[in-house]
């Protein structure tokens, strides 16, 4: 049977990869798990292995091509006949007239979308319960790449968690990646609960001697991003005071009306609104600095604290969504962050980042841009301050807002203009409720 | 777009109120979304109104009638007189009404809009009702418009003599002779029911065997029963035309004519995509008329999802319901995917039920398996039910001893298969079945017996 093999998601938020070198030519025989191609992601050189034993019929892309995850990588023929593609569905199987029957099988033999699998068709499923499969989806783990340590090769929750943390021991049993004492994987047959893991503090105090902790998972990803940002992006910071009196009044009214909306939702909406006016800040700069990609969608990453470190789930199309809708989504994302169930795809595709560090305290702060994005806006807590208004001294809740922008991409007039637009939106927030 | 028209914003718009649509709507509402469900007919769709539920009512009524006669020989007197199908139909209607009311309650906060929905683009829908056209702008849309019976040229339903499954569920009298075109599960179920109520039934199937999709070993048990009920089965036969109480049928041997006061055409179903105006949202259908979707139900247009009979796979209510819930969860940002195996069931006599790989599937997939079988003839409970035909068949991986498929033909197979579905879905092994106590005396014991039989065939 001929099967199409799409470029798999090799993790680390990869959206596309470059084909560096083909190791198997069309027409050559391959065995399952044999390395067939080397690809380069923005992070590493990775070998991709064959999913089947058979013949590699053709390459889906040439060396040097950039391929999106999910695009056709290669076509295999495993030598079996493809009869099971014929419609199995008793209802879809037309009878009484041969023409209709032919239609039904033709439809199933040629699915227009590679992902459009026939749910009824028998196929080899990962040896995991639905609960474990759900955990894998929430942690972005592809179960076909995980070897199960459970009874009979069953994939248990602990296997998925190890794979999610990037621990090589999930694939090769005990190895150099064995975690420190206290984090040993449970013995085979004793599945661990994901909730037990979530309850662990981020870093446990060492006792008696120094403890070496490998930089893994989120921590490693954050470290790489921050190093890249600090060493390659010329940051410029623009600092503004925002009067949140009107916003606090409006939120109190909304809350009394039974529709509480978090501050961050208004901040997100204000930023999205201002980005429409200043599209240069809603863009991505190529790694070589040679090309700026102005994004047609406004997808705002919002920094959220999670058990393993900061994560930045994305609120898509923030410009066309209601403040209330954004608020509901932010609340849900915060909950998902807490129990580590933010879907992997929600961590990608951001075009600008918003960071409301107010709940943590402090007064004034700056943030590092998350490349390839070109700006990040952070806001601190609202504190009562004495301010002059119309020649009078009044007390108003004031917060400090800082925009860090990539100075290669934006100049002062754009940076300040954008900040003023955000400030004006936050200071007259009722407009945000009625406009799109 | 008419100047000045205002599209009402809504989080989730569901088109279609069948099992896929109402489950999707209820789940989305439960997850905090503002949901509008558009339905141009009755809530509950084909399943509740003209499908699963009414057909099960009729099948049960026919079975009660039939079994009463069988138990007359066991000392329980049977009531006399012919079947009063009118009274049965009234009872059936009560059952349907009650369930439709239940769906309305279950939908809770979901706003139900009566009308016909069409896509205007990838964010907007127009809804046409008797007296007005309204517009909605959605964050996400779930298409759940289901399917309709395939019509055969020359045998279009005329509302009287030639009917589709809907028509056959509403007969007010038991036909003297009934020809069923199509030996899939709908034809087998209704043909058997009417035979039990007194019709002389002929099943006409174009393929070489009936009950495709199920293990042939299981279907043979049903075939034997059809014969015992006096139902004639013509395979490799094409129905051509129905004239004056006769149906012309073409076989390899030539043309023949069979008696048929009524002709039921049940040769499969087609997705209802024609009037959605999918092209306005850039969505195309495949050669079979299905909408291609990913594992989460997302179409090529990222805000629009399609579920149930609109997408490939068997046109079954439980599949649609599962896909509907998945789409709602994905829209709400939860990690969800329609990755579960869909059990197949048919309320034939005896019932057929199947989940996971058949022996044939395993062979084609190059997977080494052993099977274990247990016949209901050896089951104490089956004997006391007076229903001993059938068997349970387990398909087990030879290496890892995982249960890959469970197949049942026999009494209450449709209920027994849920245990099989858990076994397959959770990748449980033979020892898990063997180590689970199945109470005595029940039909469920036969599954345990089949596991024992499989274990004997493994080198352990």
């Amino acid at each position: 049977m001929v099967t199409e093999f799409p470029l798999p998601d090799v993790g680390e938020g990869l959206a596309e990869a470059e084909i560096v070198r083909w190791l198997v030519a069309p027409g050559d025989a391959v065995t399952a798990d044999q390395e067939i191609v080397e690809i380069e992601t923005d992070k590493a050189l990775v070998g991709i292995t064959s999913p089947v034993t058979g013949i590699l019929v053709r390459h889906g892309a040439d060396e040097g091509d950039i391929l999106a995850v999910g695009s056709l990588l290669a076509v295999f023929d495993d030598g079996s006949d493809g009869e099971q593609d014929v419609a199995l569905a008793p209802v879809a199987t037309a009878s009484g007239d041969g023409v209709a029957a032919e239609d039904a099988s033709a439809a199933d033999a040629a699915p227009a979308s590679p992902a459009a699998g026939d749910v009824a068709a028998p196929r080899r499923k990962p040896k995991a319960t639905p609960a474990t499969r759900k955990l894998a989806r929430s942690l972005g783990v592809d179960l076909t790449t995980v070897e199960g340590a459970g009874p009979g090769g069953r994939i248990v929750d602990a296997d998925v968690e190890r794979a999610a943390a990037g621990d090589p021991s999930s694939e090769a049993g005990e190895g150099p990646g064995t975690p420190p004492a206290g984090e040993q994987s449970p013995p085979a047959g004793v599945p661990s609960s994901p909730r037990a893991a979530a309850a662990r503090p981020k870093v446990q105090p060492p006792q008696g001697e120094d403890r070496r902790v490998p930089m893994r998972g989120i921590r490693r990803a954050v470290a790489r991003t921050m190093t890249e940002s600090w060493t390659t992006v010329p940051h410029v910071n623009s600092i503004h005071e925002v009067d949140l009196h009107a916003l606090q009044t409006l939120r109190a009214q909304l809350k009394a009306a039974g529709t509480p909306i978090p501050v961050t939702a208004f901040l997100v909406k204000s930023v999205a609104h201002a980005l429409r006016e200043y599209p240069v800040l809603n863009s991505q700069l190529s790694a070589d600095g040679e090309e700026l990609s102005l994004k047609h969608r406004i997808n705002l990453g919002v920094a959220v604290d999670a058990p393993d470190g900061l994560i930045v789930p994305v609120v898509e199309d923030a410009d066309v969504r209601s403040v209330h809708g954004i608020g509901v989504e932010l609340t849900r994302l915060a909950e998902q962050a807490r129990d580590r169930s933010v879907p992997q795809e929600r961590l990608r595709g951001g075009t600008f980042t918003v960071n409301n560090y107010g709940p943590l305290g402090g007064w004034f702060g700056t943030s590092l841009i998350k490349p390839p994005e070109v700006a990040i806006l952070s806001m601190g807590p609202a504190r009562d301050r004495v301010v002059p208004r119309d020649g009078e001294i009044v007390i108003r809740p004031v917060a400090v807002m800082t925009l860090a922008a990539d100075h290669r991409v934006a100049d002062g007039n754009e940076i300040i203009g954008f900040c003023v637009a955000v400030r004006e939106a936050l200071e007259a927030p009722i407009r945000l409720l009625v406009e799109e | 777009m008419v100047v000045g028209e205002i599209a009402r914003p809504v989080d989730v718009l569901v088109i279609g109120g069948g099992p896929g649509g109402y489950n999707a709507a209820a789940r989305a509402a439960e997850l905090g979304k503002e949901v509008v469900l558009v339905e141009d007919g009755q809530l509950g769709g084909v399943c509740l109104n003209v499908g699963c539920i009414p057909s099960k009512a009729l099948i049960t009524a026919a079975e009660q009638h039939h079994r009463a006669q069988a138990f007359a020989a066991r000392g329980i007197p049977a009531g006399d007189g012919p079947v009063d199908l009118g009274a049965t139909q009234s009872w059936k209607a009560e059952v349907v009404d009650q369930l439709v009311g239940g769906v309305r309650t279950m939908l809770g906060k979901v706003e139900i809009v009566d009308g016909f929905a069409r896509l205007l683009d990838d964010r907007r829908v127009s809804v046409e009702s008797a007296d007005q056209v309204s517009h909605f702008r959605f964050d996400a849309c779930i298409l759940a418009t289901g399917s309709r019976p395939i019509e055969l040229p020359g045998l279009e339903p005329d509302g009287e003599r030639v009917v589709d499954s809907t028509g056959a569920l509403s007969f007010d009298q038991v036909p003297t002779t009934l020809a069923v075109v199509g030996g899939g599960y709908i034809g087998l179920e209704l043909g058997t029911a009417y035979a039990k109520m007194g019709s002389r039934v002929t099943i006409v199937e174009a393929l070489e065997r009936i009950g495709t999709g199920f293990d042939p070993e299981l279907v043979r048990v049903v075939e034997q029963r059809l014969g015992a009920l006096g139902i004639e089965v013509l395979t490799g036969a094409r129905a051509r035309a129905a004239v004056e109480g006769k149906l012309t049928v073409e076989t390899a041997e030539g043309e023949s004519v069979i008696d048929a006061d009524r002709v039921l055409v049940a040769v499969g179903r087609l997705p209802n995509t024609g009037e959605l105006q999918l092209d306005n949202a850039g969505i195309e259908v495949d050669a079979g008329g299905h909408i291609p979707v990913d594992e989460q139900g997302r179409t090529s247009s990222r805000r629009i999802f399609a579920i149930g009979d609109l997408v490939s796979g068997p046109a079954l209510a439980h599949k649609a319901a599962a896909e509907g819930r998945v789409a709602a969860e994905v829209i709400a940002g939860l990690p969800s995917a329609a990755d579960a195996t869909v059990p197949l069931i048919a309320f034939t006599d005896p019932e057929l039920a199947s989940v996971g790989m058949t022996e044939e599937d395993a062979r084609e997939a190059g997977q080494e398996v052993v099977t274990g079988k247990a016949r209901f003839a050896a089951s104490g409970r089956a004997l006391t039910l007076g229903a001993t035909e059938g068997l349970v068949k387990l398909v087990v991986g030879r290496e890892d001893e995982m249960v890959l498929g469970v197949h049942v033909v026999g009494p209450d197979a449709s209920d027994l298969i849920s245990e099989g579905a858990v076994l397959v879905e959770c990748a449980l092994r033979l020892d898990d079945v063997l180590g689970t106590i199945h109470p005595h005396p029940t039909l469920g014991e036969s599954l345990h017996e089949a596991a024992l039989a499989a274990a004997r065939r493994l080198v352990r």
Side-chain angles (χ1 to χ4, degrees):
Chain A
M1 194 176 69
V2 173
T3 48
E4 296 190 342
F5 180 50
L7 176 62
D9 182 351
V10 299
E12 299 185 307
L14 160 83
E16 56 187 25
E18 181 185 343
I19 306 299
V20 176
R21 196 157 64 96
W22 279 102
L23 306 172
V24 176
D28 284 0
V30 289
T31 54
D33 299 329
Q34 177 187 343
E35 214 159 276
I36 54 165
V37 63
E38 281 177 2
I39 62 166
E40 185 167 18
T41 73
D42 49 354
K43 305 268 163 47
L45 202 64
V46 181
I48 302 285
T49 57
S50 170
V52 297
T53 296
I55 305 288
L56 190 154
V57 179
R58 67 179 175 90
H59 294 159
D62 295 329
E63 290 177 3
D65 285 358
I66 303 282
L67 208 57
V69 167
S71 314
L72 180 68
L73 178 65
V75 179
F76 294 96
D77 188 343
D78 65 9
S80 70
D81 54 22
E83 301 237 321
Q84 68 264 45
D85 279 357
V86 174
L88 276 167
V91 193
T93 306
S95 50
D97 189 289
V99 176
E102 278 157 24
D103 282 350
S105 52
D108 277 48
S113 156
D118 180 348
V119 281
R123 58 189 166 146
R124 184 138 187 110
K125 294 170 70 146
K127 292 176 189 174
T129 65
T132 303
R133 300 208 299 267
K134 183 176 178 186
L135 177 70
R137 279 197 299 274
S138 68
L139 295 176
V141 172
D142 176 5
L143 284 179
T144 59
T145 64
V146 178
E147 205 162 298
R154 268 255 295 271
I155 302 169
V156 297
D157 290 359
D159 298 322
V160 175
E161 283 167 359
R162 266 199 304 278
D167 185 339
S169 68
S170 65
E171 277 155 41
E174 298 260 314
T178 305
E183 287 188 10
Q184 287 285 4
S185 49
V190 186
S192 84
S193 146
R195 266 154 293 284
R200 276 204 308 262
K202 281 182 196 172
V203 178
Q204 291 173 336
Q207 291 180 345
E209 59 183 274
D210 296 351
R211 184 152 61 92
R212 289 160 183 261
V213 181
M215 295 282 275
R216 290 276 190 261
I218 292 179
R219 196 69 255 157
R220 180 169 62 173
V222 169
R224 287 182 178 181
T225 309
M226 290 302 101
T227 305
E228 185 189 347
S229 177
W230 186 249
T231 55
T232 64
V233 179
H235 284 67
V236 60
N237 283 293
S238 180
I239 299 150
H240 301 256
E241 280 189 339
V242 188
D243 179 348
L244 295 179
H245 173 72
L247 180 58
Q248 287 191 348
T249 309
L250 178 64
R251 287 186 61 229
Q253 287 168 344
L254 287 166
K255 191 174 177 188
T259 318
I261 300 181
V263 174
T264 313
F266 283 94
L267 183 59
V268 163
K269 186 71 186 173
S270 303
V271 166
H273 179 68
L275 283 173
R276 273 192 188 164
E277 263 183 80
Y278 294 92
V280 72
L281 294 173
N282 190 57
S283 66
Q284 296 187 341
L285 187 61
S286 64
D288 58 10
E290 290 292 318
E291 187 179 275
L292 188 68
S293 168
L294 294 158
K295 296 293 162 188
H296 76 287
R297 292 175 66 189
I298 296 181
N299 297 339
L300 295 186
V302 180
V304 177
D305 200 29
D308 305 305
L310 197 76
I311 62 171
V312 188
V314 174
V315 176
E316 293 183 344
D317 300 314
D319 55 327
V320 294
R321 300 184 49 184
S322 70
V323 180
H324 178 246
I326 293 169
V328 170
E329 183 163 1
L330 287 173
T331 307
R332 188 166 49 233
L333 286 170
E335 280 166 16
Q336 290 176 344
R338 268 195 293 281
D339 64 12
R340 306 175 193 227
S341 64
V342 178
Q344 196 72 16
E345 65 267 19
R346 298 304 305 270
L347 298 173
R348 296 173 194 152
T351 58
F352 184 103
T353 301
V354 175
N355 176 17
N356 177 14
Y357 64 88
L360 301 176
W363 171 237
F364 157 73
T366 62
S367 302
L368 291 193
I369 296 165
K370 188 168 164 270
E373 292 171 21
V374 300
I376 182 169
L377 182 128
S378 38
M379 193 165 84
R383 296 245 167 92
D384 281 347
R385 286 288 180 269
V386 174
V387 292
R389 283 287 182 272
D390 303 327
E392 300 284 323
I393 290 174
V394 296
I395 294 175
R396 287 289 174 87
V398 173
V400 176
M401 178 181 92
T402 310
L403 179 82
D406 186 333
H407 220 342
R408 292 173 296 181
V409 168
D411 299 327
N413 61 345
E414 286 152 339
I415 292 167
I416 293 169
F418 170 80
C419 290
V420 169
V422 175
R423 194 194 76 210
E424 285 176 352
L426 282 172
E427 290 184 345
I430 199 149
R431 286 203 315 242
L432 297 171
L433 290 182
V434 291
E435 73 182 33
E436 233 209 347
Chain B
M1 187 164 163
V2 183
V3 177
E5 153 215 312
I6 293 169
R8 204 184 114 190
V10 56
D11 291 346
V12 180
L13 185 93
V14 180
I15 305 178
Y22 72 69
N23 275 291
R27 184 72 180 122
E30 195 175 278
L31 291 168
K33 296 288 183 186
E34 186 196 346
V35 185
V36 167
L37 185 152
V38 184
E39 167 62 57
D40 72 327
Q42 284 281 339
L43 275 182
V46 170
C47 164
L48 247 62
N49 295 288
V50 291
C52 324
I53 297 300
S55 78
K56 258 79 272 177
L58 278 194
I59 288 164
T60 304
E63 172 68 7
Q64 290 297 330
H65 173 66
H66 188 72
R67 282 174 70 79
Q69 289 156 6
F71 270 80
R74 294 163 182 150
I76 306 297
D80 285 331
V83 169
D84 177 0
L85 195 54
T88 311
Q89 292 290 10
S90 312
W91 167 68
K92 184 198 84 178
E94 281 170 34
V95 171
V96 169
D97 286 349
Q98 188 181 338
L99 286 169
V100 170
V103 169
R104 205 170 284 277
T105 311
M106 168 191 166
L107 283 171
K109 281 191 297 180
V110 173
E111 181 182 339
I112 300 158
V113 173
D114 183 12
F116 198 93
R118 292 182 178 86
L119 289 165
L120 295 173
D121 55 35
D122 61 354
R123 299 238 22 200
R124 292 178 311 135
V125 151
S126 75
V127 177
E128 192 178 335
S129 57
D131 48 358
Q132 60 168 349
V133 176
S134 46
H135 293 82
F136 293 89
R137 178 179 167 85
F138 55 79
D139 273 354
C141 176
I142 300 175
L143 306 177
T145 51
S147 62
R148 62 185 186 284
I150 292 176
E151 288 182 13
L152 288 182
L155 284 170
E156 292 86 0
D158 57 14
E160 198 182 342
R161 259 229 306 282
V162 180
V163 296
D164 56 19
S165 55
T166 305
L169 290 169
S170 311
F171 287 155
D172 50 6
Q173 282 181 4
V174 178
T176 312
T177 51
L178 172 68
V180 177
V181 181
Y185 84 93
I186 295 174
L188 293 176
E189 286 182 353
L190 291 178
T192 304
Y194 279 108
K196 286 177 180 171
M197 289 191 282
S199 296
R200 195 147 54 75
V201 176
T202 311
I203 293 173
V204 181
E205 166 61 55
L207 302 177
E208 287 310 314
R209 62 174 179 158
I210 58 170
T212 37
F214 289 100
D215 182 332
E217 186 177 2
L218 270 59
V219 176
R220 264 198 297 283
V221 175
V222 174
E223 281 170 339
Q224 281 162 8
R225 186 82 185 119
L226 291 172
L229 287 167
I231 297 172
E232 197 183 346
V233 179
L234 305 175
T235 54
R238 306 231 158 135
R240 286 301 179 211
V243 189
E244 290 173 11
K246 308 273 182 199
L247 178 71
T248 332
V249 174
E250 200 180 291
T251 61
E253 289 85 49
E255 215 169 76
S256 62
V257 173
I258 54 178
D259 289 335
D261 292 338
R262 305 286 185 116
V263 177
L264 160 61
V265 179
V267 294
R269 304 184 66 86
L270 279 178
N272 290 328
T273 53
E275 304 198 42
L276 278 171
Q277 299 189 338
L278 294 171
D279 45 346
N280 286 344
I283 299 172
E284 291 180 356
V285 298
D286 64 20
H290 294 107
I291 300 175
V293 291
D294 65 16
E295 207 179 33
Q296 299 190 312
R298 198 178 273 120
T299 67
S300 57
S301 182
R302 66 195 174 87
R303 293 177 187 277
I304 302 178
F305 293 71
I307 59 167
D309 298 2
L310 288 181
V311 304
S312 75
L316 295 173
H318 49 265
K319 168 182 168 274
E323 289 172 351
R325 286 188 291 265
V326 165
E329 288 172 2
V330 170
I331 288 165
L334 296 177
S336 197
D339 64 350
T341 309
V342 180
L344 306 177
I345 61 173
F347 287 79
T348 44
D349 185 8
E351 293 176 1
L352 283 165
S354 179
V355 65
M357 283 189 164
T358 62
E359 217 179 333
E360 208 175 328
D361 295 334
R363 219 183 7 257
E364 281 169 5
Q367 176 118 16
E368 281 216 50
V369 295
V370 298
T371 60
K373 292 177 213 171
R375 299 201 171 266
F376 285 113
S379 156
R381 182 58 183 139
L383 278 162
T384 60
L385 284 169
T388 52
E389 292 158 6
L391 69 148
V392 175
K393 184 171 175 182
L394 243 54
V395 178
V396 178
R398 186 183 285 280
E399 284 279 292
D400 54 15
E401 302 188 6
M402 294 275 172
V403 179
L404 301 173
V406 178
H407 312 280
V408 186
V409 58
D412 294 337
S414 57
D415 279 315
L416 293 172
I417 202 62
S418 290
E419 180 183 351
V422 173
L423 295 176
V424 170
E425 208 52 55
C426 294
L428 293 177
R429 289 171 299 156
L430 209 47
D431 279 339
D432 296 321
V433 187
L434 293 172
T436 301
I437 296 176
H438 290 65
H440 177 76
T442 62
L443 297 170
E445 278 177 293
S446 296
L447 209 144
H448 193 261
E449 289 296 322
L452 278 171
R456 283 193 289 270
R457 296 176 72 170
L458 284 165
V459 183
R460 311 182 101 204

